[in-house]
Amino acid sequence: MKYDMVFEGGGAKGMVFVGAMQEFESLGHTYNRLLGTSAGAITAALLAVGYSAAEMLEALGEKENGRSVFSSFMGKPGPFDKRQVQASATLKFLHDVDIPLVPDFIERQIDQAIVKWLTEDPKLASTYSFLEYGGLYSADHFVTWMKKRLDSGNHLGKPRHYSGMTLEECFDATSRDLSLVASDTTGQSLLVLNHRTAPQLPLVWAVRMSMSIPLLWQEVIWLAEWGQYRGRDMTGHSIVDGGMLSNFPIELFVSQDLHVKNLMGADAGDGVLGMLIDETLPVEGTSPSPNAESPSLLNRAPVIQRVSNLLNTTMSAHDKMVSENFEKLVVRLPARGYGTTEFEISDERRGLLVNAGRKTMSAYFDKLSLAGGPLSPGEEDTPFTVNSQDIRQADVVATKILDR
């Protein structure tokens, strides 16, 4: 069978998707439309350029200087461009602070010294990055890795060369309908990025936008050369993780509303299949890691832990409640005990998570087979189909998502 697939965001927990796709492939299923947020956006993008589950598994095991390559995604930011530093909001703020009885020219020297200290001391670089760019870490290493992956191996009988392509060019080259979810904090709206809504946006930057967990990674600033989004000029807008507004927008594929279809494309599969990361379900054979979250970011500072908990709630609670209406279309993948930022993961723990994804997918299709499948919106002849009332609800939610 061929499915339109939705992948939830979840940071490092998204590794569970690889095991699920191993089983999906082994059963002979394929996919057409792909929709992803954050970690789900990475998975969806790799599938769009023809990655097999085996290739994704190989990518998970990639090492750099003896460590998981994913650990570099949280590398220290910098060096910072000196011209940008001189024009920075941080320096402007310091200039605006008046120190009584201190001459202006001395204040200027103090301001310059403070900014120099913030930008050049490795221990303070993350502080400056947070103040100036909205995130403790840059994602330069991620962009480099993603470009490498988009140009690795072969697809459609020839070497992959997708790293420099726009969303429109990627669709033309692959015929794969890919949509990635991001959040525009300047315009306070959700973005669904695809070849219809943002044709000139580079694929790699669409993925980078979608995976940009707020406060963790620097925001992405939309460049003029990336064109418009749905006819709107986005130049200068700050873009972050799509999970801020909708981490699992399965309604976008369930909806039959014409407005939604115009932006998402027509149904192209035999059914809809949602891949949801469920932190309440245990991963067989494992226990919580003492470093499931980055000790330098989330375990050490109580205020950051509180912010992290708030973000996790914001990015998951709404979608998990809504998805109950479409439970028949959802594979709940276990991830209890795994951290969103657990990128420095052991081979053993990664293997257990991947295996859990594989087993869960197998159990889902076993249950579907007994129920008589497939999962086609609108059909009401099996326990696994979505009824017309739920489709109407999906129409309402999907329209709101697209118009936020």
Side-chain angles (χ1 to χ4, degrees):
M1 288 183 60
K2 180 176 287 188
Y3 290 90
D4 290 333
M5 301 190 73
V6 185
F7 295 87
E8 188 195 19
K13 292 173 287 189
M15 296 179 188
V16 72
F17 294 142
V18 176
M21 292 309 297
Q22 282 182 314
E23 184 65 17
F24 182 86
E25 281 185 11
S26 72
L27 293 173
H29 300 299
T30 58
Y31 47 83
N32 201 332
R33 290 189 300 170
L34 296 163
L35 172 62
T37 303
S38 198
I42 300 171
T43 302
L46 292 177
L47 290 173
V49 299
Y51 263 68
S52 66
E55 286 178 297
M56 289 194 291
L57 185 64
E58 183 270 330
L60 289 187
E62 188 176 345
K63 303 286 186 182
E64 190 174 87
N65 298 322
R67 301 174 61 193
S68 170
V69 70
F70 300 120
S71 64
S72 68
F73 295 175
M74 295 176 67
K76 292 292 184 182
F80 300 100
D81 183 276
K82 292 184 178 180
R83 287 177 298 177
Q84 292 180 357
V85 170
Q86 291 304 308
S88 67
T90 303
L91 185 57
K92 183 179 184 303
F93 171 79
L94 292 171
H95 286 340
D96 291 341
V97 176
D98 181 56
I99 305 176
L101 305 179
V102 177
D104 287 346
F105 78 93
I106 294 180
E107 280 194 26
R108 298 275 180 182
Q109 292 176 358
I110 294 173
D111 295 344
Q112 290 289 343
I114 292 173
V115 169
K116 186 174 188 295
W117 181 41
L118 287 172
T119 57
E120 295 184 7
D121 188 328
K123 295 180 180 179
L124 296 174
S126 287
T127 301
Y128 178 80
S129 177
F130 181 82
L131 293 172
E132 195 64 31
Y133 301 109
L136 291 164
Y137 303 103
S138 75
D140 294 344
H141 291 288
F142 169 78
V143 172
T144 298
W145 176 85
M146 192 69 195
K147 286 181 176 180
K148 174 185 173 183
R149 282 294 157 190
L150 291 173
D151 290 340
S152 296
N154 297 297
H155 181 223
L156 301 177
K158 55 186 177 181
R160 290 189 179 97
H161 290 295
Y162 299 107
S163 67
M165 289 188 179
T166 64
L167 291 173
E168 184 175 54
E169 290 168 341
C170 186
F171 175 75
D172 290 341
T174 65
S175 299
R176 191 68 67 192
D177 201 328
L178 172 68
S179 295
L180 307 178
V181 181
S183 300
D184 174 11
T185 60
T186 302
Q188 300 182 358
S189 61
L190 182 138
L191 308 178
V192 180
L193 307 168
N194 59 41
H195 67 281
R196 302 176 194 85
T197 63
Q200 301 309 308
L201 179 64
L203 169 61
V204 70
W205 283 103
V207 179
R208 167 69 177 86
M209 289 174 179
S210 186
M211 58 75 69
S212 187
I213 298 175
L215 309 182
L216 183 65
W217 282 297
Q218 295 173 352
E219 300 168 338
V220 177
I221 306 301
W222 193 293
L223 302 180
E225 56 263 37
W226 294 347
Q228 299 181 331
Y229 172 76
R230 294 176 65 183
R232 301 199 302 265
D233 182 17
M234 299 287 289
T235 304
H237 283 221
S238 297
I239 315 298
V240 300
D241 195 309
M244 284 295 296
L245 294 177
S246 189
N247 210 27
F248 187 61
I250 192 171
E251 299 88 354
L252 293 176
F253 276 176
V254 175
S255 173
Q256 301 299 301
D257 182 87
L258 181 60
H259 170 63
V260 177
K261 293 297 182 189
N262 285 338
L263 294 175
M264 300 304 302
D267 297 339
D270 299 308
V272 175
L273 188 61
M275 312 295 281
L276 183 75
I277 298 171
D278 194 331
E279 295 85 355
T280 69
L281 298 178
V283 175
E284 184 179 345
T286 192
S287 58
S289 167
N291 294 314
E293 298 290 358
S294 167
S296 63
L297 172 63
L298 301 176
N299 290 344
R300 187 175 64 184
V303 65
I304 297 297
Q305 182 65 70
R306 293 189 186 101
V307 171
S308 173
N309 291 339
L310 177 62
L311 287 172
N312 284 336
T313 301
T314 302
M315 295 167 68
S316 64
H318 166 74
D319 289 310
K320 282 179 169 51
M321 288 188 293
V322 170
S323 70
E324 291 176 2
N325 294 302
F326 312 110
E327 195 69 36
K328 308 152 189 174
L329 312 180
V330 175
V331 183
R332 290 186 172 270
L333 301 167
R336 192 167 76 191
Y338 285 78
T340 302
T341 58
E342 193 182 349
F343 297 109
E344 187 62 62
I345 188 172
S346 69
D347 292 344
E348 180 183 5
R349 278 179 60 77
R350 182 182 66 247
L352 291 170
L353 186 61
V354 170
N355 192 51
R358 184 183 59 78
K359 287 186 175 181
T360 304
M361 182 66 94
S362 177
Y364 176 84
F365 276 109
D366 284 346
K367 187 176 181 180
L368 177 60
S369 178
L370 291 173
L375 312 183
S376 300
E379 297 178 7
E380 303 183 25
D381 57 346
T382 83
F384 273 71
T385 52
V386 177
N387 61 43
S388 56
Q389 180 178 348
D390 287 339
I391 291 176
R392 286 194 295 271
Q393 180 179 349
D395 291 342
V396 173
V397 174
T399 301
K400 287 182 178 179
I401 288 174
L402 289 173
D403 291 339
R404 279 178 181 173

